[in-house]
Amino acid sequence: MRLSPLVITHTEQVLREILQFAGPADVVISRYFREHAKLGMRERGAIAETVYAILRNRLVYNHLSESGRGAQMRRLVLLGLADIYGVEALGGISEEEKVWLEHVMKIDRARLPKKMQANLPDWLYNRLVAQYGEDETLRLASVLNTPASLDLRVNTLKAKREDVLKVLKEVPVECEPTPYASSGIRLHRKIALQNMPLFKEGNVEVQDEGSQLLAQIVGAKRGEMVVDFCAGAGGKTLALGVAMRNTGRLYAFDVSDRRLAKMKPRLARSGLSNVHPVQIAHERDARIKRLAAKADRVLVDSPCSGLGTLRRNPDLKWRQTPETIAEMAQKQQAILESAARLVRPGGRLVYATCSLLDDENEKIVAGFLEKDDRFVLVPMQQVLGEGKIGLEMGDYLKLLPQIHQTDGFFAAVFERVR
């Protein structure tokens, strides 16, 4: 495939804005494409893919770009494009640039310093090494610096997984059942899913297998009262509603009206009628108090650093800092304590994040149990056994991309004993 010189120009322009790290990369890219409506789908795909490659490999690309000439932003873009498409695919480059690219493409990156290979900021690399050791951190970083697969969740109110697999294979698209989530399907290439009847009719939703597993360990059952305390755009809410077989009452709380608005079309496609979205002002909103000690199950998929999702959101590693992590931990503690008030005696509370850091995970759990003796930790292996999920875990759910091929997730389950 031969790329137009315009791809280089537009990628430079959007990358320049993204590297200011004033907001999420996907938001910047979406706005840029709206402002440049004449860009074709092929060009848009190349621009977005190259930007994400540069964000994933930023340290290595910065190092390699030092040997070239001209504007560094252009050199970074050329490196990203050459990595993805090959040097010969690049239109509009000079002979000097071609010679330089062919030279740097031959460099053995495995001989670069380990910290550079990881493509992580120093503070994050050091914390992960302290948790997992250097070898495992490098394995983790290697996977985080690759694009994620596309996982689907089958809406079992409307379809069976085996039937959806059959339809997808007729497209044809290479796919397989997810190994752990009971309703998941993993695609080996991205497709225009939004144009397919499967999606339009609500038979499938896009959802990482790890996220599907979080919904499964909640264990929501028919006729129960369940609360998704930080519902966001509703991916786990919809999975919980299906688990409840469209019975009982499922409250979807969130502070963001914009996020809840994104749930509405998904909810309409799903066929669920037991979901009640509620915008709240904060974690101690009066509308929450009315459900005090009434909920059978409460899921707190807490706001977090999102560092477990770096395959999808590589800009996060450059936008987060030790200070933002500390601020996040305070918020997580407050949200968990507030959500706990909704759980009835004998009910369950699930705390989850898509973070890889102890500061947002085990330390939050320890702080909560120290403050509230009404709750006890339910070992995750017991919870997984109840849900017939074939995973080996200890006290917590700890999903890691290099081991489980999911995003990075953490979860702890508590039971209210009095």
Side-chain angles (χ1 to χ4, degrees), residues 1-9 11-12 42 46-47 50 54 61 73-102 104-105:
M1 165 168 118
R2 186 78 170 169
L3 294 171
S4 161
L6 280 175
V7 170
I8 298 173
T9 303
T11 307
E12 278 188 73
R42 180 177 161 184
I47 292 163
T50 304
I54 294 165
Y61 284 3
M73 199 69 66
R74 180 176 174 86
R75 281 177 276 149
L76 290 174
V77 170
L78 294 180
L79 284 166
L81 287 166
D83 255 359
I84 299 167
Y85 300 104
V87 178
E88 295 301 323
L90 307 189
I93 65 171
S94 68
E95 186 62 28
E96 183 182 14
E97 287 174 326
K98 182 180 177 183
V99 170
W100 170 69
L101 281 172
E102 287 173 343
V104 294
M105 289 294 113

Side-chain angles (χ1 to χ4, degrees), residues 329 332-334 336-337 351 358-373 375 377 396 410 412 414:
Q332 288 156 348
Q333 201 76 56
L336 181 55
E337 289 170 10
Y351 172 76
D358 290 346
D359 306 68
E360 301 182 83
N361 297 334
E362 287 92 337
K363 289 181 182 178
I364 301 299
V365 170
F368 172 71
L369 289 172
E370 190 176 326
K371 281 188 176 181
D372 197 333
D373 62 2
F375 288 86
L377 187 71
Y396 309 117
F410 171 89
F414 312 95

Side-chain angles (χ1 to χ4, degrees), residues 69 144 162 178 188 190 213 219 222 229 280 325 327 410:
R69 293 172 64 183
L144 288 175
E162 55 267 32
T178 49
H188 294 295
K190 293 183 179 178
L213 287 171
R222 289 176 180 269
F229 202 76
I280 56 175
I325 301 300
E327 291 169 11
F410 171 89

Side-chain angles (χ1 to χ4, degrees), residues 11-32:
T11 307
E12 278 188 73
Q13 290 175 2
V14 73
L15 181 65
R16 189 171 285 108
E17 184 174 351
I18 285 170
L19 290 182
Q20 294 174 17
F21 298 118
D26 60 340
V27 173
V28 175
I29 291 171
S30 295
R31 189 184 71 246
Y32 188 87

